[in-house]
Amino acid sequence: MSTKLLGVIDATTFHKSLKDLIGHRTLAALPFGGRYRLIDFVLSNMVNTGITSVGVFSKYNYRSLMDHLGSGKNWDLNRKKDGLFFFPAPIFDVPVEQIGAFHHFGYHMNYFKRSMQEHVVVANCYSVFNMDFNDVLERHIQNGCDITELTKDGTSLEIYLLKRELLIELIETKDETGYTCIKDVIEDDNHNFISCSYQYHDFFVKIDSVESFYQTSMDLLQPDVWRQLFRKKQPIFTKVKDEPPTHYGKDAIIKNSLIANGCIIEGHVENSIISRGVKISKGSIIKNCIVMQKTHIGENCYLDSVIMDKDVKIEDSVEIIPIRPGRPTVIKKGVIQGALMNT
């Protein structure tokens, strides 16, 4: 069944509410869970479904995304036939916020016309979930649907399944029909297609704000959420990096946290997510924080509810606490936070 599916990931979205974290990277490449990027979830879902051809359509600041994906080897997509394809948008591309913009797909029509798969699954790049698209395809075929939209609790998940030939037709006729994306077709009461809905019931979150990014990251510390996302039979793949195990100092204290490899932990870490290569010096207390790759936290600091992007340096004796409950402080990539700049 899965050999009938072509995978398309729309990575063109830019959420202004996340600008402090994606000003230098595309949303698809936003680090998540200590060692993953957001695109890893939908891409792994496609691979676990058995999809062997995936096109990634990107637009903004996609250098880090290209570096992360590489040849697709970590997802078993470095193939002689099919595999991973990367399609950046032209510089003069017209801004469209909806997933699956036909004008963007139209620049790369050869990809769709040369593909041999009968159906296409078109998905956004910023959702955290774990599912098998074969179930959607089976229901789609059984019900004779033209377009199937995935939903949860009445809300669109911005994931669609349709025939490849129909997608090509919609792209080629966009100027006559006025449809700019798949959502336009579904919301048009006068369309002549059979539109279906597939109800998804497991864990699913769209990362579209700092608050949703922070809360979903903290949810990973709950065992039931972790088990729903990271399954033995449906693993989430990511770029492999060869780094040494994390070193814990004799006075280090770790409580309910995720710690990636390559770190040096000498302080107190609680309810936090620590990425690769982070150093937390002695006497420092880190609570309810997200610390991204290669950040260095000095001695005797107290940090609560802080999101630290890559390569941040926190000097000694810095204290940062939340101004408002539930709203984390974001420190941008490469910033040096000194004692005289305490929040």
Side-chain angles (χ1 to χ4, degrees), residues 57 70 74 112 128 147 184 203 210 217 234 249 280 299 319-320:
F57 292 76
N74 293 290
F112 296 104
V128 178
I147 303 174
D184 286 352
F203 186 87
V210 169
S217 298
Q234 294 175 222
I280 300 175
E299 298 182 358
E319 178 181 296
I320 304 177

Side-chain angles (χ1 to χ4, degrees), residues 206-250:
K206 285 188 282 190
I207 306 299
D208 53 10
S209 66
V210 169
E211 288 76 17
S212 63
F213 172 75
Y214 179 75
Q215 186 56 57
T216 306
S217 298
M218 293 297 102
D219 287 343
L220 294 182
L221 301 176
Q222 301 177 25
D224 60 327
V225 172
W226 181 267
R227 284 191 291 268
Q228 288 186 64
L229 285 177
F230 301 97
R231 307 170 185 173
K232 290 184 178 180
K233 293 184 178 180
Q234 294 175 222
I236 303 299
F237 303 102
T238 191
K239 182 179 180 180
V240 175
K241 293 188 177 181
D242 296 324
E243 291 179 306
T246 289
H247 172 76
Y248 297 94
K250 63 178 182 179

Side-chain angles (χ1 to χ4, degrees), residues 277-281 284 286 290-299 301 303 306-320 330-343:
V278 170
K279 181 178 181 181
I280 300 175
S281 302
S284 289
I286 313 299
I290 300 171
V291 186
M292 296 186 190
Q293 192 172 351
K294 296 182 179 180
T295 287
H296 185 161
I297 299 172
E299 298 182 358
C301 297
L303 307 178
V306 183
I307 301 174
M308 287 159 270
D309 207 334
K310 294 176 63 176
D311 301 315
V312 166
K313 182 178 181 181
I314 308 294
E315 297 184 342
D316 296 344
S317 303
V318 170
E319 178 181 296
I320 304 177
V330 178
I331 301 179
K332 296 181 181 180
K333 179 182 178 182
V335 167
I336 299 177
Q337 185 80 33
L340 297 178
M341 296 177 276
N342 287 351
T343 300

Side-chain angles (χ1 to χ4, degrees), residues 20-251:
D20 288 343
L21 294 173
I22 61 175
H24 58 282
R25 60 165 73 94
T26 181
L27 179 55
L30 181 61
F32 183 81
R35 63 189 300 262
Y36 300 94
R37 303 293 182 114
L38 286 184
I39 196 172
D40 291 339
F41 290 88
V42 64
L43 183 56
S44 297
N45 291 341
M46 289 180 176
V47 170
N48 290 331
T49 296
I51 296 174
T52 59
S53 180
V54 179
V56 177
F57 292 76
S58 189
K59 184 174 181 180
Y60 302 100
N61 301 323
Y62 48 77
R63 185 200 61 79
S64 61
L65 179 60
M66 293 183 69
D67 176 71
H68 178 70
L69 296 176
S71 65
K73 178 181 178 180
N74 293 290
W75 296 267
D76 193 28
L77 289 173
N78 57 332
R79 298 165 173 264
K80 292 182 178 180
K81 182 180 179 181
D82 291 335
L84 182 68
F85 300 87
F86 197 89
F87 301 109
I91 297 176
F92 53 84
D93 190 28
V94 179
V96 174
E97 296 299 325
Q98 300 296 342
I99 297 301
F102 294 150
H103 76 276
H104 189 181
F105 290 166
Y107 296 128
H108 308 283
M109 282 297 291
N110 283 341
Y111 173 65
F112 296 104
K113 290 185 175 181
R114 292 178 179 179
S115 298
M116 302 302 294
Q117 291 80 2
E118 186 176 356
H119 293 84
V120 184
V121 56
V122 180
N124 69 75
C125 66
Y126 49 86
S127 293
V128 178
F129 66 118
N130 191 325
M131 74 173 299
D132 187 339
F133 293 117
N134 276 316
D135 296 336
V136 186
L137 178 60
E138 184 176 355
R139 185 81 59 82
H140 178 87
I141 295 174
Q142 286 179 350
N143 293 339
C145 306
D146 292 316
I147 303 174
T148 295
E149 178 184 35
L150 274 67
T151 62
K152 181 179 173 66
D153 300 327
T155 301
S156 173
L157 303 186
E158 297 177 316
I159 300 175
Y160 310 94
L161 193 149
L162 66 164
K163 278 194 173 184
R164 180 176 58 87
E165 293 296 334
L166 175 57
L167 179 59
I168 292 173
E169 177 187 336
L170 291 171
I171 296 170
E172 292 181 334
T173 60
K174 65 183 186 303
D175 293 335
E176 292 79 26
T177 63
Y179 296 142
T180 64
C181 60
I182 301 173
K183 184 178 179 180
D184 286 352
V185 182
I186 295 175
E187 292 184 345
D188 182 8
D189 294 333
N190 298 317
H191 70 68
N192 297 317
F193 305 108
I194 301 175
S195 177
C196 303
S197 175
Y198 179 93
Q199 297 293 327
Y200 185 67
H201 301 288
D202 292 338
F203 186 87
F204 189 105
V205 178
K206 285 188 282 190
I207 306 299
D208 53 10
S209 66
V210 169
E211 288 76 17
S212 63
F213 172 75
Y214 179 75
Q215 186 56 57
T216 306
S217 298
M218 293 297 102
D219 287 343
L220 294 182
L221 301 176
Q222 301 177 25
D224 60 327
V225 172
W226 181 267
R227 284 191 291 268
Q228 288 186 64
L229 285 177
F230 301 97
R231 307 170 185 173
K232 290 184 178 180
K233 293 184 178 180
Q234 294 175 222
I236 303 299
F237 303 102
T238 191
K239 182 179 180 180
V240 175
K241 293 188 177 181
D242 296 324
E243 291 179 306
T246 289
H247 172 76
Y248 297 94
K250 63 178 182 179
D251 297 322

